[in-house]
Amino acid sequence: MASNPHFESYKKDVIKMNNAKRRTVIAGNWKMNFTPAEAVAFINEIKPMVEGKNNCDIIFCAPYVDIAPAMEAAKGSNIKIGAENVHFEEKGAYTGEVSAKMLTSMGVEYVIIGHSERRQYFAETDETVNKRTKAALAAGMKVILCLGEVKDERLNGITNEVVSMQTKLDLKDVTAEELKNVIIAYEPVWAIGTGLTATPEQADETCGVIRDTVASLYGRDAAEAMTIQYGGSMNDANAKELLDKVNVDGGLIGGASLVAAKFTAIVDAAQ
Ligand code: PGA
């Protein structure tokens, strides 16, 4: 079908209107990589590179021991430092865990919850992800909630059902007011750290399914206002075409968040 210039321009306006409703968020997930000194050196390196680039929020989620020094290094800049997980109990005998209050007392605003590595290697389930999400939100934190299908689920054609189910289970009993502090990161597990990236069309479609699920739970306006990121081998070369998609409002970036030039290029792609 020949494209109609009036329709194309209408489509662009609608896309712009939708995007204007929500904030683009480019978040790095450092995972278990930088020592505190390396984290500080990285922030000092990237700070001038992203200075003044305010069309998106820039966050690095860091291992607990890196948070305080990285925050100190990021002071006065447009970079925020978040955590990579949080426990659901307020306090007590939970060796090795960190509570939301411990994080908020340091001024930490953002936390990743439900990352596929937590689900795969640390036995996290939709139930524990939901508990952590509710605890973080109750403490006033902003949650980057990760979900996504594994390879077999994509190959078997059940991706939509899987992400829709995860969205419902992970957001169980989250109030409409709390939902305003939730970002969902759609991360197909087969694309994480593998160099395989979802095509922009796949990312857009699945983020759209997640948005529709949120709409079924909280209404269309809430769903349209929600930032939904794509994550999984996003890098300087593929970020632009992923971020250009209507339903993709940012990225959660692993490997490329450890290299200042690559991460900055992704920030630039979001400008
Ligand atoms: P990756 O990781 O960019 O290295 O694939 C993404 C993530 O795990 O959040």
Side-chain angles (χ1 to χ4, degrees):
M1 198 175 74
S3 76
N4 173 332
H6 295 295
F7 180 67
E8 287 306 315
S9 123
Y10 170 75
K11 208 164 73 179
K12 273 199 193 124
D13 284 346
V14 171
I15 289 171
K16 255 195 259 156
M17 246 161 50
N18 280 341
N19 285 348
K21 283 189 198 168
R22 43 191 189 249
R23 186 86 180 140
T24 301
V25 179
I26 304 294
N29 174 12
W30 279 347
K31 310 191 180 182
M32 195 174 75
N33 285 292
F34 289 152
T35 64
E38 287 165 347
V40 168
F42 179 90
I43 296 296
N44 285 336
E45 182 188 357
I46 201 165
K47 217 164 38 172
M49 297 167 77
V50 296
E51 195 185 334
K53 296 179 180 172
N54 292 324
N55 283 1
C56 63
D57 288 341
I58 301 173
I59 306 159
F60 290 101
C61 293
Y64 296 126
V65 294
D66 294 349
I67 292 177
M71 281 179 93
E72 185 59 34
K75 226 179 224 169
S77 75
N78 53 345
I79 296 171
K80 290 188 172 152
I81 307 296
E84 296 179 9
N85 201 7
V86 65
H87 194 56
F88 44 82
E89 293 293 347
E90 276 177 30
K91 64 189 295 187
Y94 303 100
T95 303
E97 294 290 333
V98 164
S99 73
K101 189 174 166 192
M102 291 173 185
L103 293 172
T104 55
S105 73
M106 298 171 65
V108 178
E109 228 182 302
Y110 288 89
V111 59
I112 294 175
I113 294 178
H115 191 276
S116 69
E117 285 146 22
R118 298 295 317 171
R119 296 178 191 250
Q120 269 183 299
Y121 310 139
F122 301 96
E124 292 213 24
T125 62
D126 286 312
E127 193 185 343
T128 59
V129 169
N130 173 247
K131 282 166 109 171
R132 288 178 200 264
T133 300
K134 282 191 295 186
L137 292 170
M141 298 191 77
K142 297 192 168 95
V143 172
I144 300 178
L145 171 62
C146 302
L147 51 90
E149 81 287 2
V150 298
K151 193 173 177 191
D152 277 353
E153 291 165 339
R154 168 125 334 235
L155 293 177
N156 285 315
I158 56 167
T159 296
N160 293 357
E161 289 76 6
V162 169
V163 298
S164 175
M165 182 60 77
Q166 287 176 324
T167 304
K168 288 179 186 161
L169 294 174
D170 297 349
L171 291 176
K172 188 170 166 280
D173 297 332
V174 169
T175 67
E177 197 50 38
E178 287 172 334
L179 187 79
K180 293 175 184 162
N181 284 328
V182 178
I183 291 170
I184 291 182
Y186 164 56
E187 299 208 303
V189 179
W190 49 270
I192 295 177
T194 57
L196 295 173
T197 314
T199 64
E201 292 68 32
Q202 284 171 329
D204 191 39
E205 185 194 342
T206 313
C207 288
V209 169
I210 294 167
R211 200 178 301 286
D212 287 345
T213 308
V214 172
S216 76
L217 299 169
Y218 297 92
R220 186 43 70 182
D221 283 356
E224 289 302 327
M226 174 181 259
T227 293
I228 301 182
Q229 301 171 313
Y230 167 79
S233 299
M234 187 186 270
N235 58 40
D236 44 328
N238 60 26
K240 176 95 178 85
E241 48 177 9
L242 286 160
L243 294 170
D244 273 351
K245 289 294 176 191
V246 179
N247 278 304
V248 179
D249 312 313
L252 183 57
I253 297 122
S257 77
L258 300 168
V259 183
K262 287 190 184 177
F263 190 86
T264 304
I266 298 172
V267 169
D268 287 338
Q271 294 302 297

